[in-house]
Amino acid sequence: MGFPVPPIDVSTSLASYIAVALSMIGITIFVLLQVLPTRTDPPLLTQMILALAVLGGGMVLLTALLDVFLNSNGTTAWTWVLLAFNFMMMFPVGLWFVCLVIFQDRRVTRDGWWWPFWLGLATTGSEVLMGVLFADGGANGTLPFVAAMGLGLSSVWFYWSMAAVMAALVLWAPLTPLERAGSAALVAIAGVAPWVLTFPLVGGVAGTIVMSAILLVIVGSIARRRVAPSELSFLLALSGLFAAMAAAGVGLALDGGGDLSRIGFGSVMAVGMVGEIAFLARRCYRPLAPGEPTVGETRAAAGTRPLEPAAPEALAAGR
């Protein structure tokens, strides 16, 4: 008996789905890495707005494509797709130019959660829409809205795409070992989540193993008093998310995998992913310690530092 795998619609359109998914993952990771520097100052407001406009434009296009499957009036729906495509191509550039005039060289604040939250929401929202679009496109016939959402929020296209994006950011962001372990555990849970929805026993066991392992690490670190205050808040939030996932998984099993329970489980996972992306983004431009200079200030100081007089031995050698 083979190991059960999450269902993927194997058809002639599978190759195109994979190509689109890989393209979206690559574009999302590229955009995020452009505005999440780890060794320089925080990005400019214009850069952040451009990144959000690109991700938001992709969401608009995916929404228009989804309307093609959910709307019986195909001609009108495809008109909206063309408009959304033009929006995605032109709006980010126009918005960037306007913001360049308004904000000029102002930078994102280091200690705020506003921009990280919007990055997390735009990233997760794009992957949710892609999951719903691909799941509905692979179904036989047009699905009702609730059924389409339930199928999309339990789709491998959503979970595995988010796992890939989060894995890239976990490797990129400057995290402590404990933060990296907790974030990697969430990536692993996103990887096994489709099994929770299609094979509850297999997925439940795999998820329990991952959550138990990271909880043991958390408890051991707290017991040895090796947890910083900033790490403690992250670990508490992660533990709460694990508890919510477990509760949603139990509800899914009791409901027998109905559309509403699938939406509930997927929504819990999506909220956790928004928070994880926001956390990773904020860690990339952490708040400075009191008196700590920025990288730009350090470079400026190094460039204007006066020359020190040469030692007498060096002058003698130069003769």
Side-chain angles (χ1 to χ4, degrees):
M1 180 177 178
F3 186 76
V5 296
I8 300 179
D9 181 41
V10 180
S11 62
T12 55
S13 60
L14 180 60
S16 60
Y17 285 177
I18 294 176
V20 173
L22 292 177
S23 299
M24 280 197 60
I25 293 170
I27 292 172
T28 301
I29 293 175
F30 174 79
V31 170
L32 290 176
L33 295 188
Q34 299 309 302
V35 293
L36 298 180
T38 58
R39 295 178 179 85
T40 59
D41 295 315
L44 299 173
L45 280 173
T46 51
Q47 294 174 319
M48 185 66 75
I49 292 173
L50 178 60
L52 288 173
V54 171
L55 296 175
M59 292 178 63
V60 172
L61 179 60
L62 288 172
T63 303
L65 287 170
L66 183 60
D67 184 56
V68 172
F69 293 97
L70 299 179
N71 194 333
S72 58
N73 191 345
T75 303
T76 303
W78 279 109
T79 301
W80 283 110
V81 170
L82 293 176
L83 291 175
F85 183 77
N86 290 331
F87 175 87
M88 184 186 69
M89 296 298 293
M90 301 301 298
F91 178 76
V93 178
L95 181 63
W96 171 79
F97 182 77
V98 172
C99 292
L100 188 64
V101 176
I102 296 174
F103 298 114
Q104 297 181 0
D105 292 333
R106 289 172 56 189
R107 293 189 177 273
V108 173
T109 56
R110 290 179 177 272
D111 55 351
W113 281 98
W114 185 249
W115 294 109
F117 166 76
W118 283 112
L119 280 178
L121 186 63
T123 302
T124 307
S126 297
E127 305 303 337
V128 168
L129 287 172
M130 184 179 70
V132 175
L133 176 64
F134 286 3
D136 189 75
N140 294 323
T142 303
L143 295 175
F145 177 76
V146 174
M149 290 299 298
L151 195 59
L153 286 171
S154 60
S155 170
V156 295
W157 302 109
F158 165 50
Y159 288 112
W160 288 354
S161 297
M162 281 304 303
V165 173
M166 290 191 299
L169 295 185
V170 169
L171 294 175
W172 176 262
L175 305 173
T176 66
L178 202 55
E179 291 171 343
R180 201 175 302 278
S183 299
L186 186 56
V187 173
I189 291 175
V192 303
W195 279 275
V196 177
L197 292 151
T198 53
F199 303 98
L201 179 60
V202 176
V205 171
T208 301
I209 291 174
V210 174
M211 287 189 286
S212 299
I214 191 60
L215 286 176
L216 287 175
V217 172
I218 292 173
V219 171
S221 300
I222 294 176
R224 293 192 298 270
R225 297 182 179 180
R226 295 181 178 179
V227 180
S230 59
E231 292 177 324
L232 184 59
S233 59
F234 166 75
L235 296 177
L236 289 176
L238 187 65
S239 301
L241 177 60
F242 286 167
M245 289 178 185
V250 170
L252 180 72
L254 293 177
D255 184 57
D259 292 332
L260 292 179
S261 60
R262 285 172 175 264
I263 292 175
F265 182 84
S267 298
V268 171
M269 291 292 295
V271 169
M273 292 170 181
V274 171
E276 175 67 9
I277 296 293
F279 168 76
L280 294 173
R282 193 170 184 270
R283 289 295 283 121
C284 285
Y285 44 94
R286 61 177 177 78
L288 291 173
E292 180 182 357
T294 65
V295 175
E297 292 170 346
T298 303
R299 290 176 177 173
T304 58
R305 184 175 55 191
L307 295 175
E308 297 180 358
E313 301 86 58
L315 293 176
R319 293 174 185 174

